[in-house]
Amino acid sequence: MATNPSNQGGNRSVYANFGNKYNVHVYGNDFSGSATGVYLRGSDGTGNEVADNDFLATPPYYSTGLFARNFQNLTVCSNTNHAASNVSYLFNGANNGLTFEGNITFGGVQHTLWVAGTDPVIG
C-alpha cells in the first residue's frame, strides 16, 4: 500500500493505531503539515515499512515526524526530515525487531532520535 498524503494542518497524516498490522508500506511521500507525520502504535505484525519519505514542513507544523509505540518488526529506512519537526523519530515502549538505517535529518530539531518511555526497547 502506498500513501501520498500532503496534509496541511491535520492531527496525523498516517495513523495506524492498535491491532496487528501486516505488510503496511508507507513510502515515497512528501509530508508537509500536521502534528505527527506517521503515527504507528500497538502492533505485533510483520513486514511493515516506512521508507523513502520526506518530512518537509517547518515548525510548528510537525511535533514529530515518525512516532512508533509498541510497534514490533518495523523497518524505517531512507527517510529525510528537513528540520520539519521538534522530534524527527520518536520510539516509545517496546519496538522489538526494529530496523532503523539510512535516515537523514537536517538541523533545526530538538531531537533527531528519541527513545522514550519506561524500559523502552528497540532492536
Side-chain angles (χ1 to χ4, degrees):
M1 172 179 84
T3 60
N4 196 5
S6 181
N7 186 356
Q8 298 293 328
N11 195 21
R12 297 170 184 101
S13 293
V14 174
Y15 181 71
N17 193 26
F18 297 113
N20 293 333
K21 310 295 185 272
Y22 295 90
N23 301 313
V24 174
H25 300 279
V26 180
Y27 61 90
N29 300 288
D30 295 334
F31 296 101
S32 59
S34 71
T36 300
V38 178
Y39 181 98
L40 307 171
R41 183 175 181 188
S43 173
D44 289 329
T46 58
N48 301 305
E49 177 181 46
V50 177
D52 297 318
N53 297 290
D54 285 299
F55 299 94
L56 301 166
T58 55
Y61 297 108
Y62 277 119
S63 63
T64 306
L66 168 69
F67 175 86
R69 180 175 186 174
N70 300 325
F71 205 89
Q72 314 301 318
N73 308 308
L74 177 64
T75 298
V76 179
C77 64
S78 302
N79 297 287
T80 303
N81 189 304
H82 300 271
S85 59
N86 291 326
V87 180
S88 296
Y89 307 97
L90 172 56
F91 299 98
N92 186 295
N95 295 286
N96 297 303
L98 172 70
T99 301
F100 184 84
E101 63 185 16
N103 299 290
I104 300 169
T105 298
F106 295 102
V109 295
Q110 198 173 33
H111 304 287
T112 299
L113 174 62
W114 186 4
V115 180
T118 304
D119 300 322
V121 176
I122 62 171

